[in-house]
Amino acid sequence: MATAADPQMLARIAENLKQAQDSSKTVLQDVFDIVEKNNLSVMNDNPEHPFSNCFDKVAKENENVCETDADEQLLVTLPFGENVKLHSFLVKGPEGGKAPKKVRVFVNQLAMDFSDAEDAPADFEIELSEGEVVKGQRVVLDGKAFKSPVSSMTLFFVDNQEGGEITAIKTLSVFGYSTGARAGKLEKVGSE
């Protein structure tokens, strides 16, 4: 019987744990590539500064931003073409107080409106500092809802750093990986 002081046993356990970690590593990608763009839902973006500026490569290069229209809130629902295991997101905003502050995240909620986003319990919620959002610091999603693959993600940008009427976002990236299964669709397995 091995004891806690047995160095050979501890070395084998450590090696087994390292191998298990190495074999379970998955490469994270920006999952905007698998968002169903035709079914994307954005509420309250300014038509002159639309949400597409946040992930369009040309708009990013030109430093275009997405801005809110009627007030500081923005609601974005990303339906995925495949089920996705979410890991983290990155939101980058401009200096000067217009960058997002409080962000609420929901999964598998395709038909949310502002009232739902304000009242429903979020799967994840964070308040970003101006430094974090200006730098574009990645935020790891933790909690029970992110342990399983999801078919959609809704981000509710509640307010901005200075409490003004316009919230602005330079970049939004969501990281995770596809599980390969089609979101919301059953696939037939086997023969009839």
Side-chain angles (χ1 to χ4, degrees):
M1 181 173 152
T3 65
D6 185 350
Q8 290 177 339
M9 177 63 87
L10 291 174
R12 281 195 303 271
I13 291 170
E15 182 61 29
N16 288 343
L17 288 171
K18 182 181 182 309
Q19 288 176 359
Q21 286 177 333
D22 290 345
S23 67
S24 68
K25 288 182 181 173
T26 304
V27 176
L28 298 176
Q29 65 182 25
D30 187 341
V31 296
F32 269 113
D33 294 340
I34 53 178
V35 169
E36 292 182 339
K37 309 285 189 300
N38 294 339
N39 295 321
L40 181 85
S41 171
V42 182
M43 294 183 182
N44 197 36
D45 63 332
N46 184 330
E48 294 178 17
H49 301 281
F51 177 74
S52 60
N53 286 349
C54 293
F55 61 90
D56 179 86
K57 289 179 180 18
V58 174
K60 282 182 183 180
E61 289 170 9
N62 293 330
E63 296 195 22
N64 292 338
V65 297
C66 165
E67 288 187 349
T68 57
D69 194 21
D71 61 21
E72 75 282 4
Q73 296 184 333
L74 183 70
L75 188 63
V76 178
T77 300
L78 307 170
F80 302 116
E82 301 172 3
N83 286 333
V84 172
K85 181 90 170 34
L86 296 172
H87 177 268
S88 54
F89 72 94
L90 176 151
V91 60
K92 187 172 183 177
E95 294 179 343
K98 290 184 178 182
K101 185 174 183 180
K102 186 175 184 179
V103 183
R104 303 186 80 213
V105 180
F106 304 88
V107 297
N108 300 329
Q109 301 292 323
L110 285 174
M112 292 192 89
D113 60 20
F114 284 103
S115 182
D116 296 329
E118 288 173 350
D119 297 338
D123 294 305
F124 182 82
E125 191 169 314
I126 189 164
E127 198 162 296
L128 301 166
S129 72
E130 186 166 16
E132 290 170 326
V133 76
V134 167
K135 288 180 198 171
Q137 191 168 357
R138 193 181 287 198
V139 177
V140 175
L141 295 162
D142 59 3
K144 192 168 98 174
F146 304 102
K147 303 240 184 274
S148 301
V150 301
S151 60
S152 69
M153 174 184 196
T154 300
L155 295 115
F156 177 36
F157 298 95
V158 179
D159 55 11
N160 56 49
Q161 295 295 320
E162 290 188 349
E165 287 295 310
I166 296 175
T167 298
I169 300 172
K170 286 182 167 181
T171 302
L172 176 65
S173 298
V174 179
F175 300 95
Y177 59 91
S178 168
T179 62
R182 294 286 300 159
K185 296 184 180 180
L186 296 176
E187 295 181 26
K188 185 176 179 181
V189 179
S191 61
E192 292 185 1

